[in-house]
Every structure is written in C-alpha cells, then in structure tokens.
Amino acid sequence: MKNRTNTAMMRIAIAGAGGFAYILAQEITKSANAVLVLSRQAHPEFEEDFPSLQVAVVDFGNVEELRYVLQGVDLLISTISAAEQLNLIDAARRARVRLFVPSEFEGSISHRPATQDPLDRGSQAALGLLQRCSQSRPHSMQYTVFSCGLFMERFGPGGLQSYNLGGSTSVQNPNDYIVDVANATGEIIETNVQGRPVRVNLTSVYDVARFVAAAIELGPASWPREFCMRGDNMSVRDIITACSTVRRVPFNLSVHSYQAAEAEAEYCQQNAEWPRWHYFQRLLATANGRYHFTQANLNDTVNTAGSGVEVRPLNFRQWLEQVWGPAM
C-alpha cells in the first residue's frame, strides 16, 4: 500500500495477539491511527516492534473489564472466537464502540448454512448478537465482515500453525485440508452437486491485513455488511496442479464424488472417527461454495478509490513460489 489518504484519526483496537493480530498491527500502525491490542497476557514484542502501539492485558471472560478498556475506541477488530468473542461484542456495545469487525475472515457469510453448520465456531451466535447490536437504540453498533475465501497460508510449509494462525480451528496442520504440499498428496471433491467444478477464492493473510488497512484509510463510514477480497480464484483441481508444478513432483490425488463424500462423513460419524468426519465436512463445505464468491467488492472499492490507496495481492502461484521456491 502507498500514498495513504488523510482520514480522521481513529482509535482502533485489535482483540487477540496471535499471528493474524500481529500482521494486522503491522499494517494498521503505518497510519496515524492509534492502535490498542487486547491480549490475555503480556506481549512485549508488539510494543517493541510498533512503538506507537499499546497492549492491554485483559480477561476476555470479564465483560465489565473489557468495557472499561474499550472506552473511546472507534473500531474494534476481533481475532478471537466463541464465548470470548461474545463477551467482546457485549462489552463493545456497552462502551459505545461504533464499528465491530468479527473474527470471520475465511468464508463468505452468505454461503454458510443457516442452521446446523458443522464448521461453526460460535459464528452464528456472534453474527446474531452483532445484528441485534446494530439495531439497538439509541446507541447502535454497526459491523462489517471481511471475507477472504481461504488463507493461502493453509498450504504453506507447516500449515497455519507455522504462522501462529488457526489456534481455535481444526485446520492448523499441513494435512488438514485438500492438499499436503510437503508430502505431495491431495484429497478433493472436484465437482459440486450440480456437476460444476468446485472453486475457491484465496488470499494471503498479509494481503488480508493490507486490504483491511486500506479500507480503514478510505474511511469506514460507508462500509457494507460484508467486504469480500481475493488474491486468486481457482478450482480445487487447479490448486493441486499449481502445487505439483511448483514442487516439481507428481501428487497422489484422491478424488471423491459429492455423494461419496457425504457417505464417508456419515460413516465416520457413526464410528466416532471425528478427525476424518471434520475433514469430509470441510470438503463438503468447500463443494457447497463456502469459500467462493463472484464479486470481490473490497478489491473493487480499493482499485477504484482514486485516492492513492492501493493493494496488489499475490495470486496463488506467486505465493507458492515465495514460500516453496520457484518452479524450474
């Protein structure tokens, strides 16, 4: 990003101090906005690396403590989930925070099951509470979801855990989703129930942070309910092909029909094989379009702003070559 615009300075809080929070802080502190990180424990590296930033050690189970710390905050970005995020939303409403960004970065909210979502980590409860907060009077709190499809870092050496990401998910390991790049193996549902190729959007977490920072610089006054961004849009088959090309080795690929994957998931549930059950639920959710959207409205907003704010995200092949080395 370059040539940042001059918008009114805000006080911005980031809840959580994991890898994604650090990357967000790295981008947002490049602006003139004051940044506060809420963490369960001290993280001196944040204040050492970003001198303008402050860290507040908080108990995410204590709503009143959170409310006190959030006084004067304009924008709150969450990187935590489940009950702790619900407490954070409640505290933010009480502290009259104007705008909340929930920890919902992977997967478009419009492509999730309305009920009985096997991949739900408290998302439905959080979004429901935010909806009620946005309608409360006289002090409503608005919210915007930033959707990126999938973090490309899922496919990096060591998986998400090597980036200190995904601590509350079941996809931290490099063999937890679609392809294990290091071991040259893959497992996909290639076509959906309509017989069309399964497609996903992918964005590097570093570009996600740049897009969020760009949206802040352009001003949050007219943010939509959901901002979608992407670095690439490709089929799951093309993901395997790209990984094989960059690694310069053939991949051992298992391809399931949608119906066969449903049957496998049911078998795993009946036999309490929960890791495999979760694996097939992720494949089925992908086939159902959870990580795919046609319009990247945040890309469009940044590209047409004409104000000097710019983000040029990596495509998947570029990212693979950065983390795995260029193909010969």
Side-chain angles (χ1 to χ4, degrees):
M1 191 187 308
K2 60 181 181 180
N3 299 327
R4 293 175 179 266
T5 57
N6 293 319
T7 57
M9 191 177 79
M10 294 187 295
R11 191 165 188 236
I12 300 170
I14 301 171
F20 187 39
Y22 183 92
I23 295 167
L24 281 169
Q26 186 176 44
E27 290 300 322
I28 297 172
T29 53
K30 294 176 182 177
S31 70
N33 297 299
V35 179
L36 171 70
V37 169
L38 310 183
S39 173
R40 301 175 188 86
Q41 58 192 30
H43 279 273
E45 71 276 11
F46 275 80
E47 293 173 311
E48 291 170 4
D49 295 343
F50 315 117
S52 63
L53 177 148
Q54 291 183 314
V55 175
V57 176
V58 299
D59 175 5
F60 286 111
N62 188 326
V63 173
E64 182 56 29
E65 178 185 328
L66 291 170
R67 183 202 65 79
Y68 177 79
V69 173
L70 289 171
Q71 293 293 326
V73 168
D74 300 296
L75 168 63
L76 174 55
I77 303 172
S78 172
T79 68
I80 63 176
S81 61
E84 290 185 332
Q85 181 166 234
L86 294 177
N87 291 336
L88 188 68
I89 295 169
D90 187 16
R93 177 189 61 83
R94 296 172 186 234
R96 299 187 181 180
V97 172
R98 292 191 291 122
L99 185 57
F100 193 102
V101 174
S103 183
E104 300 291 336
F105 296 92
E106 285 197 306
S108 174
I109 57 174
S110 61
H111 293 168
R112 302 180 191 180
T115 59
Q116 297 182 335
D117 181 1
L119 303 185
D120 183 74
R121 296 180 294 111
S123 296
Q124 291 179 352
L127 293 172
L129 179 56
L130 285 169
Q131 179 67 26
R132 294 191 293 275
C133 290
S134 71
Q135 297 170 343
S136 66
R137 297 292 182 270
H139 303 294
S140 64
M141 180 175 69
Q142 299 306 308
Y143 69 98
T144 291
V145 173
F146 284 79
S147 300
C148 71
L150 292 165
F151 289 145
M152 292 180 183
E153 284 69 18
R154 285 191 183 212
F155 310 106
L160 287 176
Q161 61 186 355
S162 66
Y163 300 88
N164 194 19
L165 299 171
S168 61
T169 72
S170 55
V171 290
Q172 278 193 291
N173 300 311
N175 61 344
D176 283 335
Y177 181 72
I178 290 183
V179 58
D180 183 344
V181 182
N183 291 310
T185 62
E187 192 168 9
I188 62 172
I189 300 173
E190 188 167 13
T191 57
N192 60 20
V193 290
Q194 291 81 30
R196 301 189 184 95
V198 174
R199 302 188 67 85
V200 298
N201 294 296
L202 305 105
T203 317
S204 169
V205 66
Y206 294 91
D207 287 326
V208 173
R210 294 183 186 105
F211 272 119
V212 172
I216 292 171
E217 285 300 291
L218 293 175
S222 59
W223 283 4
R225 182 66 74 226
E226 183 172 17
F227 255 145
C228 294
M229 72 198 90
R230 64 171 169 237
D232 214 336
N233 174 15
M234 59 201 307
S235 71
V236 290
R237 166 72 74 166
D238 287 341
I239 289 176
I240 305 296
T241 300
C243 293
S244 178
T245 300
V246 170
R247 290 298 320 280
R248 303 187 294 279
V249 295
F251 274 48
N252 182 12
L253 178 62
S254 298
V255 180
H256 303 278
S257 70
Y258 188 93
Q259 293 75 14
E262 282 188 313
E264 287 285 351
E266 184 176 354
Y267 173 85
C268 292
Q269 183 177 27
Q270 291 173 350
N271 291 275
E273 297 179 7
W274 299 117
R276 286 294 287 169
W277 181 84
H278 280 102
Y279 192 97
F280 279 106
Q281 291 298 337
R282 290 191 287 274
L283 293 187
L284 290 165
T286 303
N288 289 331
R290 189 184 189 97
Y291 305 109
H292 182 250
F293 42 82
T294 55
Q295 183 183 9
N297 59 339
L298 183 49
N299 293 60
D300 295 340
T301 297
V302 172
N303 291 338
T304 60
S307 57
V309 176
E310 181 180 41
V311 180
R312 295 179 181 176
L314 293 173
N315 63 39
F316 188 58
R317 174 66 178 268
Q318 291 170 328
W319 178 85
L320 280 174
E321 292 182 343
Q322 278 195 3
V323 301
W324 288 101
M328 298 296 290

